[in-house]
Amino acid sequence: MSKVLLLFITLFTFLIQAKAQLLPLSTASDSAKHYYYLGWKQIMDYADYTKAEQSYRKSIAFDPEFILGQSLVGRISPDIKERYEILEKINTKKHLATEDEQLVADVSVMLIEFLNAREEMDSAKTAEKIAIALQTGLKNFGLIGQKYPEEVYFISEYFEIVNYLYGPKKALDTLKSYNLSLKKPAPFLIGYESTLEAALGNYDNALELAFKLKKCFKDKKVPKPYVVLGDIYLQKGDLESAYKYINKALELDPANRAVQRLKKRAEVLQENNF
């Protein structure tokens, strides 16, 4: 385990003692802030890419100079030309953001560059960009997590990076230590814990958490629980159940790229089984 990761895991266990606050935003527009936070909730807790994109675009409509808002539009935009334009704007205007916002914007810039390289089918550049983005994200989101323990979505991205770099066991241990500091865990964290349990082969635990997540939304029709259930059943090898939940999630949000990737994985698995 790297010294950086060990340090952040240790610090996360003490987040319960930290003073809870959100990262101060440089925009003076309350409407820009409202749609910025709403977009995060929609994409992370609800897994609704379509509504999240709409909210992020409303955020920068109220304040076109809001760098974090611009960076999120860049990350979710399907238009490579627009992504390049946003990259240029962020790199030109980033100095107007706070120092902490710049930590987040730096990761977004690298992720947008990765998306562009992948779409341009430059494999060497794609590998380079994602490697840099992951290491920068591990460091920057870790720092944000220490300083702003209520920034659950940035911290959630930190857990995703830990999983990618060090595997589900390390990510699950880190997530559980952080969950101790939350009176009411965010839906994203419940869902992500569920998928990590599935990755470790703990399917009963995974399904219990997934149905707990589903109850969080009561009668609210959002893709998230269906995305999680589709992922679990896919990892379990139950294609019939996986397709059932994947198709339900796509019905609720056809633009959901996470579900689109799940469906491709299911199709590959199905082909390999014949």
Side-chain angles (χ1 to χ4, degrees), residues 14 40 68 85 89 93 100 120 162 167 209 218 258 261:
F14 293 100
W40 270 115
L68 285 193
E85 290 171 351
K89 182 159 192 172
K93 301 283 188 177
D100 290 333
E120 292 167 341
V162 171
L209 285 163
K218 297 181 180 178
R261 289 192 293 270

Side-chain angles (χ1 to χ4, degrees), residues 124-141:
K125 193 173 181 181
T126 298
E128 175 194 3
K129 293 298 182 184
I130 193 59
I132 295 172
L134 289 169
Q135 291 298 332
T136 304
L138 187 71
K139 176 176 176 287
N140 290 12
F141 289 144

Side-chain angles (χ1 to χ4, degrees), residues 119-183:
E119 188 167 329
E120 292 167 341
M121 293 185 289
D122 186 334
S123 57
K125 193 173 181 181
T126 298
E128 175 194 3
K129 293 298 182 184
I130 193 59
I132 295 172
L134 289 169
Q135 291 298 332
T136 304
L138 187 71
K139 176 176 176 287
N140 290 12
F141 289 144
L143 291 170
I144 293 295
Q146 295 171 45
K147 197 168 181 181
Y148 306 105
E150 288 296 297
E151 283 289 0
V152 67
Y153 301 128
F154 292 140
I155 295 168
S156 294
E157 293 204 301
Y158 171 82
F159 297 141
E160 291 183 292
I161 294 171
V162 171
N163 180 34
Y164 192 94
L165 292 174
Y166 301 101
K169 178 65 168 63
K170 198 62 63 182
L172 186 60
D173 289 344
T174 312
L175 186 151
K176 285 183 175 180
S177 69
Y178 174 70
N179 264 340
L180 293 174
S181 69
L182 292 180
K183 293 179 181 178

Side-chain angles (χ1 to χ4, degrees), residues 242-254:
Y243 271 120
K244 169 186 170 184
Y245 291 112
I246 288 169
N247 289 334
K248 180 63 177 177
L250 284 172
E251 179 187 321
L252 292 169
D253 180 23

